[in-house]
């Protein structure tokens, strides 16, 4: 089954959540009739609001749908989101320390494979969106990667981070963001949905290019 997005809009968060819950109840009945098995853990819901309010939990077939792990701040600087990602990376690194750092029997290539499989997917998730954040915010993830590479390779302090990336054939966060966005932008052009296909243009749909007035 393809990905389905349900949007519920209302000034009152209770009403918005209630409308969404009614639609999910109808879907639950349809799933039950056609014997479709749903994994609720792969479903997420996100609340977009500028007001301080609490939205009720949403359930699908009597199971609470988890909230999205993407944290959006008021002006979309991605600061809180990247702070959360950095904490997640730190916790995962502590769990993998016996395998990645203290394990002297594994080769460097094996440790890099484990990094790409267990740590890198944490920060590359939705990189197409937050990759355009300012440098002070993306540096949180870049610093985490620098520390990880230094520990994996057991590099001495005089080895620069640039040299580490080159020797390990790994890209920086900015380079990865450019690759991810370019790949995502090209993929948009192949969609049949015109609303999605319009996102592949370089300017806003129907919005002419404006020139800034010189002072």
């Amino acid at each position: 089954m393809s990905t389905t997005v349900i949007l519920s809009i209302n000034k009152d968060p209770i009403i918005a959540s209630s409308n969404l819950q009614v639609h999910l109840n109808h879907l639950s009945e349809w799933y039950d009739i056609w014997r479709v098995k749903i994994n609720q853990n792969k479903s997420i819901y996100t609340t977009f609001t500028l007001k301080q309010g609490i939205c009720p939990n949403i359930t699908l077939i009597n199971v609470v749908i988890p909230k999205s792990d993407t944290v959006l701040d008021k002006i979309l600087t991605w600061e809180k989101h990247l702070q959360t990602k950095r904490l997640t990376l730190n916790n995962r690194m502590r769990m993998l320390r016996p395998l990645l750092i203290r394990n002297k029997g594994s080769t460097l290539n094996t440790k890099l494979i484990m990094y790409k499989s267990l740590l890198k997917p944490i920060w590359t998730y939705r990189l197409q969106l937050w990759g355009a954040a300012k440098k002070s915010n993306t540096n949180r993830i870049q610093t985490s990667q620098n520390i990880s590479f230094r520990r994996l390779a057991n590099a001495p302090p005089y080895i620069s981070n640039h040299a580490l990336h080159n020797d390990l054939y790994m890209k920086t966060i900015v380079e990865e963001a450019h690759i991810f966005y370019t790949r995502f932008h090209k993929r948009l052009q192949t969609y049949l949905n015109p609303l999605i296909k319009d996102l592949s243009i370089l300017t806003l749909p129907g919005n002419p290019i404006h020139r800034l007035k010189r002072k």
Side-chain angles (χ1 to χ4, degrees):
M1 186 176 181
S2 60
T3 303
T4 302
V5 178
I6 305 173
L7 180 63
S8 178
I9 303 175
N10 199 284
K11 294 182 179 180
D12 190 343
I14 305 298
I15 298 177
S17 301
S18 177
N19 294 338
L20 180 59
Q21 185 62 62
V22 169
H23 191 85
L24 291 177
N25 292 339
H26 291 313
L27 285 178
S28 300
E29 295 176 0
W30 186 86
Y31 294 147
D32 185 56
I33 293 174
W34 292 96
R35 298 181 180 179
V36 177
K37 188 175 182 180
I38 299 298
N39 186 357
Q40 291 88 342
N41 293 328
K42 292 186 177 180
S43 301
I44 58 174
Y45 87 94
T46 306
T47 302
F48 300 93
T49 181
L50 297 179
K51 298 180 180 180
Q52 296 294 333
I54 300 176
C55 293
N57 291 329
I58 304 299
T59 61
L60 179 60
I61 315 179
N62 300 324
V63 177
V64 177
I65 298 178
K67 294 183 179 180
S68 173
D69 60 350
T70 302
V71 182
L72 300 177
D73 53 281
K74 187 174 182 179
I75 55 177
L76 290 180
T77 60
W78 299 100
E79 181 179 2
K80 294 182 179 179
H81 176 72
L82 295 178
Q83 286 178 354
T84 304
K85 286 296 180 183
R86 178 60 188 269
L87 293 176
T88 305
L89 286 170
N90 292 343
N91 293 333
R92 180 66 62 86
M93 193 63 184
R94 292 191 193 98
M95 295 172 58
L96 298 175
R97 186 175 298 174
L99 292 176
L100 297 179
I101 301 175
R102 298 176 183 173
N103 186 7
K104 298 182 179 180
S106 299
T107 62
L108 181 58
N109 290 333
T110 303
K111 293 180 180 180
L112 282 176
I113 292 175
M114 287 191 286
Y115 173 83
K116 295 176 183 178
S117 303
L118 302 175
L119 286 171
K120 188 177 179 180
I122 295 177
W123 60 264
T124 54
Y125 181 63
R126 294 178 180 173
L127 179 59
Q128 301 90 336
L129 297 176
W130 64 261
K134 63 180 181 179
K135 189 175 181 180
S136 60
N137 290 329
T138 58
N139 274 346
R140 299 177 186 272
I141 309 300
Q142 184 62 62
T143 304
S144 175
Q145 180 166 269
N146 296 341
I147 295 174
S148 299
F149 288 167
R150 194 166 294 277
R151 290 178 176 177
L152 293 180
N154 195 20
Y158 57 82
I159 300 295
S160 66
N161 294 323
H162 179 72
L164 266 177
H165 281 72
N166 289 338
D167 294 342
L168 298 178
Y169 300 100
M170 297 294 292
K171 299 184 182 300
T172 62
I173 306 300
V174 176
E175 293 171 344
E176 289 284 2
H178 179 74
I179 294 173
F180 271 66
Y181 179 76
T182 303
R183 188 185 306 160
F184 173 72
H185 188 269
K186 291 181 179 179
R187 194 181 304 166
L188 289 176
Q189 302 173 4
T190 61
Y191 277 88
L192 298 178
N193 190 330
L195 297 178
I196 298 179
K197 197 171 184 179
D198 286 343
L199 296 176
S200 63
I201 62 177
L202 299 179
T203 59
L204 294 176
N207 187 22
I209 300 177
H210 297 279
R211 296 179 64 90
L212 296 177
K213 294 182 180 180
R214 296 183 180 272
K215 294 183 179 180

